[in-house]
């Protein structure tokens, strides 16, 4: 069984995957990235080293003669962190938005890696555990017949996003950590008895010293660096409060989280909330049900107090365009819906500030299913008092499986 699993190629995971929608690192700006993200129902877009013809919305084609390379991926959380860091009186909003989209990419390392469709599954797992978030795979395409071309034209009328065709008519998809975990679940018996053992016994819990966290009462802006790191590491920032039971204990109670995926479901105006609110209030602001009107007013008042002209201009431009057509769309609970954006149902599942938790005795199988069910790549581990113990990530699980498979050979 293990040998059969090892014989699989990444192309087996590409079945049904849509081609990537791409932005050019050569020509695209931050403003272009915002527009593209808002018109997409997926939270992430890929950024490529080549130049695309953006005037053709139906089939975005690469114009350059060099090899196309994906240099990273971006989401609205990247935009929000960027806007929060760069709002000051010396820079106008227009100059910030006209910067190259490459400013949104992580500076430390690339989180995407190109592989051939023949890449073995075991090699793909090695790349993920080595630091890659996504694997870029060429899609095996077949010649399109006239009948299929007509049918595809009809389908494109109902599609809100465009895909990119690169040099030599190539298209690509990406394989995520979740894709690999889901694939391995279909053959989970291969890894017996690991799935039934507790995460504590398996030693897959990342202890608190490696956890990104912010105090509930601290300013959300103090967590921007941690949020950017969380995007790169495909995890989240824990929001914690004080000490457990008031004892002299380095552990803290896990209140919730500031998730990059949650921020990715907001629009760019959430940068104003990050710049002005506490971490605890930010969780309420970005929650899936929309920010309370009272917090929206607090954000506006604090922007004026701090003289954050760029963010004031940004909030005014967005509230003006949404308010005229929706009458602020205030819900019965006093929350507004005008601060989010259209995303897929899968992405919306992650737009909550409630942390997904387990305990040390939870089985590996239970943790995997829990993470997949909530569309996250990690699960927080807490003790009986709700104190943060650590977290288990997909990378930790894949390292465990990789070691198991190596021992079988």
């Amino acid at each position: 069984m293990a040998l059969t699993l090892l014989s699989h190629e990444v192309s087996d995971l590409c079945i049904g995957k849509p081609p990537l929608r791409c932005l050019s690192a050569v020509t695209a700006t931050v403003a272009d990235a915002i527009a593209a993200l808002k018109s997409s129902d997926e939270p992430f877009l890929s950024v490529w080293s080549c130049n695309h013809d953006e005037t053709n919305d139906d089939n975005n084609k690469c114009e350059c003669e060099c090899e196309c390379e994906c240099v990273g991926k971006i989401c609205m959380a990247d935009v929000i962190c960027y806007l929060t860091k760069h709002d000051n009186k010396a820079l106008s909003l227009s100059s910030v938005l006209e910067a190259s989209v490459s400013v949104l990419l992580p500076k430390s390392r690339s989180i995407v890696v190109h592989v051939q469709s023949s890449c073995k599954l075991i090699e793909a797992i090695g790349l993920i555990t080595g630091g890659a978030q996504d694997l870029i795979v060429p899609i095996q395409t077949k010649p399109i017949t006239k009948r299929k071309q007509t049918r595809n034209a009809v389908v494109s009328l109902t599609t809100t996003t465009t895909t990119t065709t690169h040099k030599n008519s190539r298209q690509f998809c990406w394989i995520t950590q979740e894709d690999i975990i889901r694939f391995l679940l279909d053959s989970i018996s291969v890894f017996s008895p690991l799935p039934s053992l507790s995460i504590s016994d398996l030693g897959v819990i990342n202890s608190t010293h490696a956890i990104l966290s912010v105090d509930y009462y601290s300013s959300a802006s103090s967590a921007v660096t941690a949020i950017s790191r969380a995007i790169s590491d495909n995890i989240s920032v824990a929001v914690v409060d004080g000490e457990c039971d008031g004892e002299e204990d380095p552990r803290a109670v896990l209140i919730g989280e500031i998730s990059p995926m949650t921020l990715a479901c907001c629009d760019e105006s959430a940068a104003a909330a990050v710049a002005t609110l506490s971490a605890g209030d930010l969780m309420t602001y970005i929650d899936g049900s929309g920010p309370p009107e009272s917090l929206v007013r607090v954000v506006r008042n604090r922007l004026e107090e701090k003289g954050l002209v760029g963010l004031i201009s940004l909030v005014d431009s967005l509230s003006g365009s949404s308010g005229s057509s929706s009458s602020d769309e205030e819900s019965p609970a006093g929350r507004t819906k005008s601060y989010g954006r259209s995303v897929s149902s899968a992405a919306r599942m992650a737009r909550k500030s409630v942390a997904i938790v387990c305990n040390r005795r939870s089985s590996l199988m239970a943790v995997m299913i829990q993470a997949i069910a909530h569309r996250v790549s990690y699960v927080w581990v807490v003790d009986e008092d709700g104190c943060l113990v650590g977290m288990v990530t997909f990378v930790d699980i894949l390292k465990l499986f990789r070691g198991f498979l190596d021992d079988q050979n």
Side-chain angles (χ1 to χ4, degrees), residues 36-96:
L37 286 165
K38 284 186 168 182
S39 66
S40 173
D41 61 355
E42 294 301 325
F44 291 96
L45 291 176
S46 58
V47 180
W48 292 67
S49 60
C50 45
N51 187 18
H52 306 126
D53 176 15
E54 297 178 355
T55 62
N56 186 351
D57 293 334
D58 293 326
N59 191 17
N60 201 12
K61 293 182 179 179
C62 177
E63 294 180 325
C64 65
E65 295 299 323
C66 59
E67 281 298 322
C68 299
E69 180 185 4
C70 181
V71 293
K73 67 175 187 177
I74 59 168
C75 66
M76 193 61 80
D78 294 298
V79 174
I80 291 168
C81 289
Y82 169 74
L83 293 176
T84 304
K85 290 177 182 177
H86 291 83
D87 184 78
N88 57 61
K89 296 177 182 178
L91 295 174
S92 65
L93 178 63
S94 59
S95 64
V96 171

Side-chain angles (χ1 to χ4, degrees), residues 103-120:
V103 301
L104 302 178
L105 298 174
K107 304 296 186 292
S108 56
R109 61 183 173 86
S110 176
I111 56 178
V112 296
V113 176
H114 278 263
V115 298
Q116 295 300 318
S117 56
S118 58
C119 174
K120 296 297 184 183

